[in-house]
Amino acid sequence: MSGKILTLAIMDGPYESTCSTTAFRIIDAALRKGHSVKVFAYEGAVSLTMKAQKEHPNPAHGTSAEDEHHVLTKRWVEGLYELAKKHHVDLDWVNCGLCVDERGAGDWVVGPTRGGPADFLTMVENSTNTLVIPSKRNS
Amino acid sequence: MSRYLLIESRDPFDSRDCDWLYETAKGLSKVGNEVTVFFVQNGVLPSRKGSRYENYLHQLSLYNVKLLADSLSLSERAISDRHLVAEVSISNMDQLVDLLMDDQLKPIWH
C-alpha cells in the first residue's frame, strides 16, 4: 500500500451517465495501485449501491437476463470492496443520508455507510487529492 | 507555479462550454502553470484527425499544454492511434491516477 488516499465525489445515478463508469474505473485503478479511496456519493449516486438492483431480460432482443449479462452498479461496488481487501487498502464509501432518504435508497449492499457533506470535508482534509465529478449539464 | 489537471469528458460539438476549458488551459499555461488536459468519454472526439478542433489542440500544445486521451474512450469511438491528432498521446486510468496522486496538483473535471 502506498499510504496515499484519493477522494472522489460523485453525483450521477446508475445507468444515466458514463461519468459513473469512469469513476468506477478510476477507483479500480487507484485500488490496484495500492492507494486507499474515499467516495462521497451525493444526489443520484446514492442509488449506485442499492441492493434491490437486479438483472432483467430484454424482450425487444428476445434475450434472457443471463444473455444480457447486465453490469449492475451494486456488483461493481461489491467488487471494488473485494479489490480493496485483496490489495490491503481501504475503500470508504459514504452515501449522503439526505439524498438516500429523498430517494428511499437506504437498502444497500455491504460496505457503504451513511454520512453527510461534513464527512466529505473530512475526507478532503485527510486525502492526498480530491476529484469532484459533478452531474453533467448540457450548455 | 501550480500544476493543473483539466479532465474533459464532454464533446465540444455537443457542449459549447468546452471552449471554456480549452481557453482555461491556454490561460493557465500562458502565466507559467503546468497544465495537462486529459480527454475521456466523449471528450476524446475532437482529438480525431481532421476534426475542426485539430488546430485548436495544436495551439494548446504550442502553449506547452500536455494532451492525453483515455485509450478505452478512444477505442469505444473507433479512434485508433493513426486517427489521432499528433499532439495527443494515448493514456489510461493508471496514468490518470498517477497524476491525481500528486498532492500539489489541482484536478478539475468538466
Side-chain angles (χ1 to χ4, degrees):
Chain A
M1 69 181 79
S2 69
K4 292 186 175 182
I5 302 170
L6 176 64
T7 285
L8 270 88
I10 54 175
M11 302 175 196
D12 285 308
Y15 320 115
E16 290 178 5
S17 166
T18 321
C19 291
S20 306
T21 307
T22 303
F24 284 137
R25 292 177 63 212
I26 293 170
I27 298 166
D28 177 89
L31 295 173
R32 287 179 194 280
K33 284 177 165 286
H35 307 309
S36 290
V37 177
K38 296 177 184 293
V39 178
F40 184 68
Y42 197 57
E43 299 177 348
V46 299
S47 298
L48 292 168
T49 53
M50 283 184 73
K51 197 189 285 184
Q53 294 177 10
K54 61 181 181 182
E55 297 85 355
H56 61 78
N58 187 330
H61 295 159
T63 50
S64 67
E66 292 73 27
D67 293 333
E68 285 293 307
H69 196 59
H70 280 141
V71 176
L72 300 177
T73 57
K74 68 170 181 181
R75 298 255 187 269
W76 208 325
V77 173
E78 289 173 325
L80 291 171
Y81 271 100
E82 287 172 18
L83 190 64
K85 193 174 177 184
K86 181 179 171 187
H87 289 272
H88 308 291
V89 291
D90 295 323
L91 173 61
D92 182 13
W93 184 296
V94 175
N95 282 326
C96 167
L98 295 182
C99 309
V100 166
D101 293 343
E102 287 168 346
R103 291 162 177 80
D107 191 17
W108 53 64
V109 295
V110 174
T113 55
R114 180 187 175 98
D119 295 295
F120 178 53
L121 176 62
T122 306
M123 289 173 167
V124 171
E125 289 173 337
N126 294 291
S127 295
T128 308
N129 216 331
T130 299
L131 178 63
V132 176
I133 304 179
S135 289
K136 192 167 283 189
R137 301 278 184 262
N138 282 332
S139 55
Chain B
M1 185 196 81
S2 296
R3 288 191 289 282
Y4 289 88
L5 170 64
L6 307 182
I7 304 172
E8 180 55 273
S9 67
R10 302 187 189 196
D11 171 13
F13 301 103
D14 179 57
S15 300
R16 287 296 301 147
D17 56 356
C18 290
D19 287 352
W20 164 85
L21 183 126
Y22 302 148
E23 288 302 318
T24 301
K26 196 191 291 184
L28 286 169
S29 185
K30 200 173 175 181
V31 296
N33 296 294
E34 191 179 307
V35 184
T36 299
V37 176
F38 189 99
F39 299 109
V40 67
Q41 302 166 198
N42 281 343
V44 302
L45 288 171
S47 59
R48 189 195 301 266
K49 261 182 200 164
S51 150
R52 62 176 286 190
Y53 283 88
E54 184 171 359
N55 188 51
Y56 220 117
L57 300 183
H58 177 65
Q59 293 294 319
L60 283 178
S61 73
L62 293 179
Y63 280 90
N64 296 317
V65 174
K66 190 173 180 181
L67 303 173
L68 303 173
D70 172 47
S71 58
L72 180 65
S73 304
L74 289 168
S75 61
E76 284 176 334
R77 291 158 183 81
I79 305 174
S80 67
D81 192 15
R82 65 192 174 89
H83 295 127
L84 203 58
V85 172
E87 289 81 2
V88 179
S89 301
I90 297 177
S91 184
N92 53 37
M93 289 297 116
D94 281 348
Q95 188 175 6
L96 181 63
V97 167
D98 288 344
L99 290 166
L100 288 168
M101 287 295 92
D102 172 359
D103 62 1
Q104 296 303 305
L105 176 123
K106 303 177 198 304
I108 300 169
W109 179 283
H110 181 247

